[in-house]
Amino acid sequence: MLRRSLLALLLLPLAARADDDDQDRARAAVERGEIRPLSRILAELERRFVGQVVDTVLDRDDGRWVYEFKLLPPSGRMYRVKMDAATGAVTETRGPVQERR
């Protein structure tokens, strides 16, 4: 138990650094005009889909920046939406997607 706790404490700075690197990468991509700011993409997502965003990832997919969101609607059945980070277009959905009418 103690060994596991010590290992977690040793790895914590590595996880924090990885998060900082991701934020720096995203900020630089916005400044270069390669992607839209997350706030704009989230506004579009919330306008179009039902549910609370519970996870967000920015990643490269086939050479393009993609935001991937996990949403939890009132039904409780989580679904995913991928959006092109440069255009805001929905590129993929998975699960029981709920669009607003």
Side-chain angles (χ1 to χ4, degrees):
M1 178 72 135
L2 179 61
R3 183 175 290 171
R4 192 176 302 158
S5 297
L6 289 174
L7 181 60
L9 286 173
L10 291 172
L11 293 178
L12 188 60
L14 293 176
R17 248 187 315 222
D19 287 344
D20 288 345
D21 289 345
D22 288 346
Q23 289 176 3
D24 291 342
R25 243 180 8 140
R27 186 176 300 111
V30 169
E31 289 172 357
R32 289 189 304 269
E34 294 176 6
I35 65 173
R36 291 184 180 182
L38 179 58
S39 60
R40 288 190 187 163
I41 299 292
L42 278 173
E44 176 64 21
L45 182 79
E46 291 170 354
R47 183 190 66 74
R48 188 165 170 193
F49 296 96
V50 175
Q52 179 179 358
V53 175
V54 295
D55 190 31
T56 304
V57 175
L58 175 64
D59 209 356
R60 298 283 276 178
D61 191 8
D62 293 328
R64 299 190 68 133
W65 288 105
V66 176
Y67 284 112
E68 183 176 341
F69 302 96
K70 289 182 186 175
L71 289 97
L72 183 62
S75 68
R77 296 199 54 209
M78 194 172 313
Y79 63 94
R80 295 175 190 219
V81 176
K82 284 187 176 183
M83 298 177 80
D84 184 296
T87 66
V90 173
T91 59
E92 182 182 337
T93 61
R94 286 190 191 163
V97 175
Q98 294 183 22
E99 288 196 55
R100 296 189 190 278
R101 296 181 184 179

